[in-house]
Amino acid sequence: MEENISEKNQHIGENSSICYEMINMMYCRELDFTDENGRKFDVPHEGSLGLLAMGHIGLIEWRKSRKKYMQERAKTAKEKTEE
Amino acid sequence: MQRTAKKILLVGWDSADWKMINRLIDEGKMPTMKYLVENGTMGNMATLDPPFSPMLWTSIATGMRPDKHGILGFSEPDPNMHAIRPVSSTSRKVKAIWNILTQKEMKCHVVGWWPSHPVEPINGVMISNHYQREALDKNRQWTMAPGTVHPAELSDFFAHFRISPRELTVQHIQPFVPDYEKIDQDQDHRLESIAKITAECSSIHAAATVIMEMEEWDLMAIYYDSLDHYSHGFMNYNPPRMPNIPEDQFELYKGVVEAGYRYHDMMLKRLIEMAGEDATVMVISDHGFHPDHLRPSFLSDEPAGPAEQHRDHGIFVVKGPGIRKDERIYGACLLDVTPTLLSLLGLPIGKDMDGVPLVQIYENAPEIETIPSWEEVSGYAGMLPSEDQTDPIAAQEALKQLVELGYIDEPDENIETAIKKTVKELKYNLGRVHLGASHLMEAEKIFDELYTESPDQPRFALRLISCYMSLNKLDKAEKLIDDFYQHEVNFVTEHDIKIIAKEKMPEKLKKEGTKKEQEQWAKNKRRQVNRYHQAQSDVLLLQIYKGDLLLKQRNPKEALTIYTKIAQLSHSKQINMKVGNALMKLKRWKAAKENFLKALEYDENAVNALIGLCHSCTKLNEYEAAIDYGITAIGLAYHTPLAHYYLGEALLRYGQYEAAENAFRLAITMAPHLGQARNYLIYLYDVIQKTPEKSAIHRSYFEERGLKVKSPDDEDFEDDEDQIRTEETVTGDFKNNPIKAESEPETEDKDETPLIVKRHKTITDEPVIIVSGLPRSGTSMMMQMLDAAGLTTFTDNERTADESNPKGYYEHKAVKSLMHDASWVKDTPGKVVKVISHLLFYLPARYTYKIIFIDRDLKEVVMSQHAMLVRNGKKGAKEDAYPMNIETQFAQNLKKVKAWEKTHQNVQVLHVNHADVLTKPFEVAEKIAGFLGKQLDILKMAQVVDKDLYRTKV
């Protein structure tokens, strides 16, 4: 979060592929979310208003968590079908 | 010019209202706003008429009224007159703050501002107000419309941070509607509406945080329209329940608006964190939104009728380096935002701007520079050429939303009719803008045209009547009032509301009609019902106009008869004020005062009632009360010349000459035609201050117009006041409107004491030091400490020490009668006075106060009081009983004190925790010395504290 990515992307307006690169880079960041008492917590796949209030980082982490959940669910379903 | 702000975060919350926010702050539900209020400067922000958001947010961004900036409504015809589109940035005729900053090579980002589509090529990122609206194309894809993002190359990047309402889950909706499971979503679509609003504001927020992470900035401006949308959809379900809202619906949706505010507070927290400590943060709204008993029970049958739910005052709070902390300012108007931003950034103000910089927010006000106009400054400003086009899909989606919110009618399928209707609306709005700016001739011309075109539309007739009255065209006004009164009476007679209300949807339409046709039928029915209510309300309003006309014709007795009759039929603040005004004309000051007080009971922010009270109390020689009311009125509506004028009168009669001079001068600055204020100034300069050279300019004002200067001691002074205060004299045409014969005034309360006799001691800058709190909260101990510190205490030692207060009470008998007699306060500046919290509200406003307020655990206070009553053998006081009702009452009193603190600029409060005094006396003593700004004997103060007397503990 503290990382200044604007320095790394001086020419962000040049074309769309750079846009996707930037989005990708944001998704690759590993962020820890903590509650008011400083305790880490897992981002719920259902999301929350608290996450949305964090702005883009909350949105990204929620979408990542949701994607992971969906993939796991699909995997479990597939395994069950195979069984 | 000195730059105070390193960078500014400007957050716009459409419709945010202090009444809601203050309640939620008090309940601990808006901690971020609490932080801003406590660490910055806050105040009301007056809106403009009409209170339509695109006009208002453009006025905020330009510092100019809508007639100058050109944004006049929600929708407009496109430049080719082929379609109706939402109002767009290309219609703005002047530079916005972001153009000025671009010109000065400052970095500026703008997100969601209304209207900002299509985006402008400014020096920074701009995201338009179409960004967040989900507009699906024919492939059901949410594409990003051209003109949504600047630089356009970043469109794909920002598209990713939009959130579709379909993406949200139960977790997002439950905080708004905890019992969402009880809702049949096939029938009731309101959950969808909540999801849409929430997704939209979250999209804006995400785009804003991305920019804040990636870019540097001088100004970061973000606009959220969501509070307005939550409020229009659900404020009628906000507690207390409105009579027309069914209980079950109330229970389901009562928390939506509150949840919306809390969500905004959470988002604001994130923005402030990202902005950093060195940022200046400003949160504003364009108008308020009635959350209480003032919510209208029905909305006018006219486009933009929902705007009637808006309140005249929005919010303003600013925090940052060089900004005063925990302060309140008065008289801010949304036109002042851009001038204030410019001053914070060290840039000059355009003289053509209608607003002024709010210099009261500064710890050290900078010197303000001006230039004739920013429009004349050449160079690249990032503005769009006016021929730029809007994307049709995005435009239609935005239009749909405006229709859903009730701000505009669904455009007519016939494009010519649609354009004609839209142009008519824009014209009507411009007329209202002129009326609001007292450009009466221009307003009259517009309303005259509109009324001629559509004589059946009440709003045109009513506005035209207002113009005639203000321009003193009384014959025309009288004719139109009579004609339209008959028109509305006929309407009410010819229609039966019971039949309209009972009318059911025809079976054929029910079975075979499309959803759209059925909705149209329901909409028409709602309109018929509203039109009926409107006609009923118009009949009353036109009768009030008849009364107003009689007042103007110098016939207050008959006017009073009409008003009194209406008051028997309908109770409202308006009618009480009218009765009050008529009584004032009859010089029945006591009765006038009572009526204004009634109006105030209905709406504590009724500015005209406060002004009436200021005047009537002056006439009753109740100068302190008059000054209080005058100051409160000005606090709510600074740009009201009559309020300054009457305050000046009260101050003059009270002997506060310098303050009176300022008040009269302000009145004249705002309304040069207020000749009576000039008369007072001439009197002040010639008779009191003996500086006749200062009065020359005002004498020449009268000479130029062939008018006579009058003294406030002249018998006919009041008569001229009647004439001069009316708006027709804006034209200065006194001679053509001679005063008609005066009716015999009733003299019930006539108390015309010659001015000069009423001189009092001049106001002092030295504050009165007050020790306050609930009884038994430790106030006597604090008095002792301040006594030991070397300060003079205001006591009569009548109540001697006893077992409950072994070291004495430090009270004065006079304080107990503060409610009725505050004359003793004049002897107390610089001294320390003990005043219990219940009496604080009666402290006269002309003095300044530094209040040390002791906060003690409520249960301890109640138990300590109870123990004292038991010790004193009071009847009914049992040792083991706990009076719960007393605790509730005390809690209410403390809440009232908190609200009072915030609204009184002459009061500074230091809250001291009782337990801290006992455990950390040195620390507390030092804090008090700092607060009072005095050298105190800290050691002696601390030594006074006797922990052994801390007998009642929880």
Side-chain angles (χ1 to χ4, degrees):
Chain A
M1 185 56 212
E2 279 69 35
E3 188 182 13
N4 187 349
I5 58 171
S6 64
E7 285 172 14
K8 293 184 184 174
N9 294 280
Q10 295 286 334
H11 311 289
I12 52 175
E14 280 184 358
N15 56 51
S16 267
S17 63
I18 293 181
C19 291
Y20 291 118
E21 240 175 64
M22 285 166 60
I23 294 166
N24 196 32
M25 201 171 78
M26 284 187 165
Y27 269 76
C28 291
R29 289 189 298 191
E30 290 293 330
L31 298 173
D32 284 335
F33 282 88
T34 53
D35 63 16
E36 282 167 1
N37 302 316
R39 285 189 293 257
K40 282 184 193 174
F41 68 88
D42 291 332
V43 172
H45 67 85
E46 309 98 324
S48 70
L49 279 184
L51 278 170
L52 291 181
M54 293 295 291
H56 67 294
I57 60 164
L59 178 66
I60 288 172
E61 291 306 310
W62 168 41
R63 283 175 175 170
K64 274 159 68 175
S65 163
R66 188 179 59 192
K67 192 176 172 189
K68 194 176 158 195
Y69 169 77
M70 298 301 274
Q71 282 169 346
E72 278 169 11
R73 210 170 68 160
K75 195 179 156 194
T76 315
K78 195 181 167 193
E79 282 168 3
K80 271 190 182 169
T81 319
E82 282 169 4
E83 275 170 21
Chain B
M1 224 173 120
Q2 181 197 336
R3 180 171 170 166
T4 310
K6 187 182 168 206
K7 53 181 183 174
I8 304 172
L9 169 65
L10 175 66
V11 180
W13 283 355
D14 201 308
S15 280
D17 193 292
W18 279 127
K19 282 189 182 177
M20 275 298 290
I21 294 172
N22 284 337
R23 176 174 73 77
L24 295 172
I25 285 179
D26 289 345
E27 291 172 7
K29 292 171 178 171
M30 288 189 85
T32 318
M33 276 306 269
K34 183 173 188 256
Y35 163 78
L36 282 186
V37 167
E38 286 180 353
N39 292 284
T41 297
M42 56 85 75
N44 281 320
M45 198 156 81
T47 188
L48 302 174
D49 187 70
F52 300 161
S53 295
M55 306 165 75
L56 302 179
W57 287 101
T58 308
S59 284
I60 288 172
T62 59
M64 293 187 190
R65 290 182 184 276
D67 52 333
K68 284 189 194 166
H69 65 58
I71 302 291
L72 289 167
F74 294 97
S75 57
E76 60 188 14
D78 76 0
N80 303 321
M81 302 297 261
H82 288 154
I84 302 299
R85 66 180 188 187
V87 69
S88 71
S89 57
T90 51
S91 300
R92 202 185 65 243
K93 294 187 286 194
V94 297
K95 286 173 188 168
I97 179 78
W98 46 83
N99 304 117
I100 295 172
L101 298 196
T102 296
Q103 208 151 10
K104 298 306 290 181
E105 294 180 1
M106 289 187 184
K107 198 83 170 170
C108 173
H109 311 295
V110 182
V111 182
W113 210 267
W114 194 9
S116 59
H117 193 93
V119 285
E120 297 168 65
I122 58 170
N123 183 25
V125 178
M126 194 173 210
I127 308 281
S128 92
N129 58 310
H130 287 188
Y131 170 75
Q132 72 275 31
R133 313 250 181 270
E134 190 181 35
L136 301 180
D137 62 17
K138 57 185 178 186
N139 301 319
R140 307 282 301 157
Q141 292 297 308
W142 185 7
T143 49
M144 180 78 93
T148 306
V149 175
H150 165 76
E153 295 84 355
L154 288 179
S155 293
D156 289 339
F157 175 69
F158 279 103
H160 185 80
F161 298 100
R162 297 172 306 171
I163 302 162
S164 161
R166 290 169 286 125
E167 198 176 349
L168 298 187
T169 69
V170 164
Q171 295 303 316
H172 300 107
I173 303 303
Q174 202 171 18
F176 294 88
V177 188
D179 288 335
Y180 67 94
E181 281 170 322
K182 290 182 182 168
I183 294 167
D184 174 1
Q185 291 194 53
D186 290 332
Q187 299 296 321
D188 183 348
H189 300 284
R190 280 173 286 189
L191 290 184
E192 281 172 32
S193 157
I194 293 167
K196 185 170 184 286
I197 301 167
T198 309
E200 287 178 353
C201 65
S202 304
S203 301
I204 288 288
H205 185 59
T209 56
V210 170
I211 297 169
M212 288 174 81
E213 183 187 330
M214 294 173 57
E215 295 284 323
E216 296 296 320
W217 41 276
D218 291 289
L219 174 70
M220 176 82 212
I222 315 161
Y223 165 75
Y224 299 84
D225 60 11
S226 23
L227 282 180
D228 184 68
H229 295 187
Y230 288 127
S231 300
H232 277 299
F234 300 94
M235 190 59 97
N236 281 359
Y237 302 94
N238 197 51
R241 184 167 75 85
M242 293 174 79
N244 57 331
I245 300 294
E247 187 75 45
D248 59 331
Q249 297 290 298
F250 171 71
E251 285 302 325
L252 277 172
Y253 294 112
K254 66 182 177 187
V256 176
V257 179
E258 178 180 316
Y261 272 84
R262 294 182 71 178
Y263 181 42
H264 279 67
D265 194 71
M266 290 157 71
M267 291 192 282
L268 181 62
K269 183 178 179 224
R270 177 70 184 140
L271 297 177
I272 293 175
E273 278 170 3
M274 293 188 79
E277 266 301 303
D278 57 349
T280 299
V281 182
M282 189 186 284
V283 184
I284 53 172
S285 69
D286 53 341
H287 52 75
F289 203 103
H290 290 295
D292 49 20
H293 63 291
L294 296 173
R295 288 172 287 187
S297 52
F298 80 95
L299 301 173
S300 295
D301 176 33
E302 63 173 82
E308 287 168 12
Q309 295 174 294
H310 296 169
R311 207 160 71 85
D312 290 347
H313 291 93
I315 66 162
F316 172 83
V317 59
V318 59
K319 179 243 160 213
I323 304 293
R324 292 164 73 198
K325 290 182 179 60
D326 203 11
E327 288 287 349
R328 185 184 169 111
I329 57 158
Y330 293 85
C333 170
L334 53 78
L335 292 164
D336 303 332
V337 173
T338 282
T340 305
L341 294 173
L342 290 172
S343 74
L344 281 163
L345 292 168
L347 295 173
I349 318 302
K351 277 186 182 167
D352 56 345
M353 289 179 177
D354 296 305
V356 292
L358 298 167
V359 290
Q360 315 92 297
I361 64 171
Y362 292 100
E363 281 169 353
N364 299 303
E367 206 167 298
I368 302 296
E369 285 173 20
T370 57
I371 56 169
S373 171
W374 277 100
E375 305 312 309
E376 291 167 16
V377 178
S378 56
Y380 183 74
M383 289 182 88
L384 282 174
S386 57
E387 65 273 14
D388 269 35
Q389 295 297 305
T390 311
D391 174 79
I393 298 176
Q396 286 316 307
E397 192 55 38
L399 259 190
K400 200 175 131 200
Q401 167 122 345
L402 293 171
V403 173
E404 279 168 7
L405 283 166
Y407 280 131
I408 59 168
D409 276 343
E410 190 146 9
D412 205 290
E413 282 176 14
N414 178 323
I415 193 63
E416 273 179 38
T417 316
I419 286 173
K420 218 170 158 185
K421 268 189 188 174
T422 307
V423 170
K424 192 188 269 185
E425 286 313 309
L426 295 177
K427 212 166 153 185
Y428 173 61
N429 293 345
L430 179 62
R432 287 178 68 177
V433 170
H434 283 315
L435 200 57
S438 289
H439 303 151
L440 299 172
M441 314 272 209
E442 290 91 333
E444 183 202 9
K445 188 171 172 281
I446 290 173
F447 293 128
D448 193 29
E449 283 170 15
L450 289 169
Y451 177 64
T452 310
E453 252 176 68
S454 315
D456 57 334
Q457 288 211 30
R459 56 192 178 135
F460 299 152
L462 295 172
R463 301 274 173 199
L464 186 56
I465 293 168
S466 282
C467 285
Y468 287 153
M469 299 276 269
S470 299
L471 286 162
N472 216 24
K473 296 184 175 177
L474 301 187
D475 291 343
K476 281 187 164 187
E478 190 165 14
K479 185 171 182 321
L480 189 51
I481 290 170
D482 288 342
D483 289 352
F484 207 70
Y485 178 76
Q486 205 47 54
H487 179 273
E488 294 299 85
V489 167
N490 290 345
F491 186 93
V492 174
T493 320
E494 286 162 14
H495 295 77
D496 189 336
I497 187 65
K498 285 180 188 161
I499 295 174
I500 301 172
K502 278 183 184 169
E503 196 185 344
K504 287 186 177 161
M505 190 182 285
E507 280 303 314
K508 196 176 174 197
L509 181 63
K510 215 172 174 180
K511 286 177 185 163
E512 298 167 21
T514 62
K515 197 180 169 196
K516 199 176 173 187
E517 286 168 338
Q518 288 173 352
E519 278 173 3
Q520 192 56 45
W521 183 90
K523 198 174 171 184
N524 284 343
K525 189 181 158 180
R526 269 200 309 276
R527 285 216 151 149
Q528 280 179 311
V529 172
N530 276 352
R531 177 67 186 94
Y532 182 86
H533 289 310
Q534 173 83 52
Q536 274 188 321
S537 148
D538 288 347
V539 169
L540 282 181
L541 187 61
L542 287 157
Q543 287 185 66
I544 291 176
Y545 278 155
K546 282 186 186 183
D548 295 350
L549 197 67
L550 285 162
L551 269 191
K552 288 206 170 240
Q553 291 166 337
R554 296 313 189 88
N555 194 345
K557 258 189 177 175
E558 274 191 44
L560 182 63
T561 311
I562 289 182
Y563 294 148
T564 312
K565 270 187 196 165
I566 302 169
Q568 284 160 359
L569 294 170
S570 150
H571 295 285
S572 70
K573 67 169 178 183
Q574 194 194 9
I575 194 61
N576 281 323
M577 282 194 286
K578 294 286 179 185
V579 173
N581 281 337
L583 287 163
M584 282 209 301
K585 292 278 165 67
L586 290 163
K587 301 188 193 309
R588 292 170 60 186
W589 308 113
K590 269 188 201 163
K593 182 183 162 188
E594 279 164 21
N595 275 278
F596 290 128
L597 284 172
K598 274 187 203 167
L600 219 53
E601 270 173 34
Y602 189 77
D603 177 7
E604 61 186 0
N605 293 328
V607 174
N608 287 331
L610 288 162
I611 294 173
L613 277 165
C614 175
H615 189 47
S616 44
C617 285
T618 301
K619 296 298 177 190
L620 289 164
N621 295 342
E622 297 169 6
Y623 303 124
E624 289 157 10
I627 293 167
D628 263 346
Y629 289 125
I631 289 173
T632 313
I634 288 164
L636 287 163
Y638 186 79
H639 298 278
T640 312
L642 213 57
H644 293 277
Y645 168 68
Y646 283 141
L647 175 65
E649 190 186 42
L651 288 164
L652 184 73
R653 287 182 180 274
Y654 200 64
Q656 309 299 321
Y657 301 131
E658 205 176 315
E661 182 191 350
N662 282 338
F664 290 131
R665 286 175 62 180
L666 271 168
I668 292 170
T669 309
M670 292 176 192
H673 62 283
L674 251 173
Q676 220 57 346
R678 292 180 191 273
N679 275 323
Y680 265 125
L681 277 175
I682 292 169
Y683 179 87
L684 192 68
Y685 293 141
D686 290 0
V687 181
I688 296 171
Q689 295 181 349
K690 313 282 184 205
T691 52
E693 67 281 3
K694 283 185 174 176
S695 65
I697 187 171
H698 302 296
R699 286 185 177 281
S700 65
Y701 173 89
F702 289 108
E703 279 159 19
E704 281 164 18
R705 289 160 179 78
L707 295 164
K708 201 181 137 197
V709 174
K710 294 204 169 166
S711 160
D713 287 336
D714 287 352
E715 275 185 17
D716 58 347
F717 186 76
E718 291 287 317
D719 310 333
D720 269 15
E721 185 182 316
D722 279 350
Q723 187 198 27
I724 289 176
R725 62 180 285 198
T726 54
E727 287 181 30
E728 68 270 16
T729 51
V730 171
T731 58
D733 191 7
F734 297 165
K735 284 179 184 168
N736 294 333
N737 298 300
I739 308 172
K740 291 181 186 171
E742 174 85 17
S743 60
E744 194 59 35
E746 293 182 27
T747 53
E748 181 204 318
D749 308 314
K750 196 169 178 182
D751 189 356
E752 296 299 318
T753 322
L755 250 181
I756 211 75
V757 180
K758 287 287 157 192
R759 292 190 61 173
H760 282 240
K761 187 173 172 277
T762 317
I763 200 161
T764 169
D765 287 329
E766 177 84 327
V768 182
I769 302 166
I770 304 276
V771 170
S772 188
L774 292 165
R776 305 297 298 165
S777 60
T779 47
S780 301
M781 175 174 65
M782 183 54 64
M783 289 295 288
Q784 253 181 289
M785 285 174 77
L786 294 170
D787 189 20
L791 294 172
T792 311
T793 52
F794 182 68
T795 56
D796 57 7
N797 295 320
E798 240 189 50
R799 194 176 183 188
T800 50
D802 59 17
E803 197 193 336
S804 297
N805 257 344
K807 295 193 176 180
Y809 282 86
Y810 285 84
E811 289 173 358
H812 196 297
K813 196 171 66 179
V815 180
K816 289 181 189 168
S817 59
L818 179 61
M819 212 184 287
H820 314 288
D821 176 16
S823 56
W824 54 268
V825 180
K826 68 180 186 301
D827 301 323
T828 60
K831 293 180 187 167
V832 189
V833 189
K834 180 170 147 185
V835 180
I836 63 161
S837 57
H838 296 74
L839 290 176
L840 286 176
F841 318 109
Y842 302 98
L843 289 169
R846 68 186 184 284
Y847 296 96
T848 54
Y849 303 93
K850 287 204 168 184
I851 301 177
I852 300 164
F853 196 96
I854 317 289
D855 291 322
R856 185 177 179 184
D857 185 283
L858 255 187
K859 285 201 166 47
E860 282 186 5
V861 170
V862 175
M863 282 161 68
S864 174
Q865 283 186 12
H866 192 67
M868 184 173 161
L869 292 173
V870 172
R871 267 198 297 275
N872 295 348
K874 293 284 174 191
K875 204 179 164 188
K878 291 177 190 165
E879 209 163 335
D880 54 352
Y882 183 80
M884 198 63 204
N885 56 336
I886 302 276
E887 186 184 328
T888 315
Q889 281 172 19
F890 281 178
Q892 279 169 354
N893 173 255
L894 292 178
K895 209 171 161 186
K896 201 172 155 193
V897 170
K898 284 235 159 137
W900 175 81
E901 279 173 43
K902 285 179 195 160
T903 52
H904 285 69
Q905 59 183 351
N906 57 331
V907 166
Q908 274 181 280
V909 184
L910 174 73
H911 283 269
V912 173
N913 187 290
H914 177 254
D916 288 349
V917 181
L918 294 162
T919 53
K920 302 177 254 182
F922 275 95
E923 209 175 287
V924 171
E926 269 174 356
K927 213 169 164 185
I928 290 169
F931 172 66
L932 297 177
K934 287 181 185 289
Q935 290 282 341
L936 301 180
D937 193 332
I938 306 289
L939 183 65
K940 280 189 179 165
M941 282 175 86
Q943 281 171 343
V944 163
V945 177
D946 185 353
K947 281 185 190 172
D948 292 343
L949 291 177
Y950 188 32
R951 295 174 292 207
T952 312
K953 297 173 189 168
V954 174

